Amino acid sequence: MKLRNINRGLVLGGVLALGVVCYSVYDNNQFKTSKPEIEQTMRDYIADLTSANVGSSDKLKSQLTDFVDKHYADYTTSDNEYASSKSRLLEEINQAEVATQGGDITSAEYDIKEMSINKSGADGAKVIMIYNVCYDVSKGDPTFLTTNGINTMTSGNYTNSDNYEPSTSSYKAVFSYEYAEFYLLRTSDGWKIATSSDYGYGEDYTFDDNNTDSVADESKAESEIVPYSSLAESSDSAENSDSEGADSVE
């Protein structure tokens, strides 16, 4: 009787282990099929983020609010205290003095340089991106939204020109994001962002109005989206694909 019970336990244990393995394989295969959708979600996110920052300051608050409502899921728990959630971003937008800023962003370009996509939890994904954004600014130092919240440009700190006047001078502002981190959730409305963050960015301001250089000129016309091994958790699970180069928003 004891031997029979032991054999039954071994059989049940083996069946359970086999079930776990089969589910894990199925789950990983399902995630692989979701990668193109996640990649497109992130492309749409960067395009819409860039576009939401363009326009007159009296419309900026509503544009940014609509952007957050569209791309972020309601999410309250995060191990990263520096990451931005939907509620945190909406709070920052409501508190920001975007309607009284001294200038507007008139147009913009963005370039997604690298992206890695990895599974995170049962219905989640972790995405790490490197990308640039170039804004054309009419004057002053406008407020703009990033993956980490509301920021304000600091053009006056980047020029020694006696002819530069923040209230009247137009310029280009290039922001280089070398490590932007996103956690996404699968929802009934598709993949949505739970939290987003970036760990600093480079700023470069060009004050010559005749300068036509842009983020598109500084990067390859056909850049690649490749696993960034020093950033991604597991480069083996990331897939390579070609990006479409820089995109412009006006």
Side-chain angles (χ1 to χ4, degrees):
M1 181 64 68
K2 290 183 179 180
L3 182 59
R4 186 176 300 173
N5 289 338
I6 292 175
N7 289 340
R8 182 181 299 173
L10 291 174
V11 171
L12 291 176
V15 170
L16 179 61
L18 180 62
V20 171
V21 171
C22 290
Y23 175 78
S24 178
V25 171
Y26 170 80
D27 193 39
N28 287 329
N29 287 337
Q30 286 293 102
F31 181 76
K32 287 182 180 179
T33 62
S34 298
K35 279 192 172 183
E37 181 183 354
I38 296 171
E39 180 184 324
Q40 189 60 51
T41 295
M42 296 310 304
R43 288 183 175 279
D44 293 342
Y45 171 91
I46 296 298
D48 290 347
L49 173 60
T50 306
S51 178
N53 283 317
V54 176
S56 58
S57 54
D58 60 330
K59 298 179 180 179
L60 194 58
K61 184 172 290 188
S62 62
Q63 289 176 187
L64 297 180
T65 299
D66 291 344
F67 163 78
V68 173
D69 285 334
K70 175 181 177 181
H71 286 280
Y72 283 79
D74 293 320
Y75 186 74
T76 56
T77 303
S78 174
D79 294 332
N80 185 354
E81 62 178 316
Y82 301 105
S84 294
S85 62
K86 180 178 182 179
S87 59
R88 176 177 170 180
L89 289 174
L90 290 176
E91 182 179 359
E92 286 194 28
I93 292 169
N94 287 329
Q95 292 178 351
E97 298 296 329
V98 295
T100 59
Q101 63 187 6
D104 298 325
I105 297 172
T106 58
S107 64
E109 294 178 319
Y110 65 91
D111 180 30
I112 299 174
K113 303 177 78 66
E114 296 184 21
M115 183 190 305
S116 68
I117 303 171
N118 290 282
K119 184 173 173 55
S120 178
D123 289 305
K126 178 181 179 180
V127 176
I128 297 174
M129 297 179 63
I130 298 174
Y131 68 98
N132 293 348
V133 181
C134 177
Y135 291 115
D136 289 302
V137 181
S138 61
K139 60 181 179 180
D141 287 319
T143 296
F144 64 108
L145 183 67
T146 74
T147 60
N148 217 35
I150 290 289
N151 283 336
T152 302
M153 294 186 187
T154 57
S155 62
N157 296 335
Y158 289 83
T159 179
N160 294 319
S161 172
D162 294 334
N163 297 324
Y164 175 64
E165 298 181 6
S167 60
T168 60
S169 298
S170 60
Y171 59 89
K172 290 181 180 290
V174 178
F175 295 88
S176 304
Y177 299 89
E178 296 297 328
Y179 192 116
E181 183 179 81
F182 306 85
Y183 284 92
L184 283 74
L185 298 174
R186 190 199 307 269
T187 71
S188 58
D189 295 326
W191 289 89
K192 300 289 184 179
I193 295 173
T195 62
S196 60
S197 57
D198 62 70
Y199 295 89
Y201 54 83
E203 297 179 63
D204 182 47
Y205 295 88
T206 303
F207 304 95
D208 182 0
D209 291 339
N210 296 321
N211 191 327
T212 59
D213 290 343
S214 69
V215 64
D217 301 321
E218 296 173 357
S219 61
K220 293 182 298 181
E222 290 293 334
S223 58
E224 294 182 345
I225 294 179
V226 298
Y228 193 50
S229 59
S230 62
L231 301 181
E233 290 180 332
S234 173
S235 60
D236 291 337
S237 62
E239 297 178 352
N240 298 348
S241 61
D242 292 332
S243 71
E244 300 175 356
D247 300 272
S248 62
V249 178
E250 296 184 354

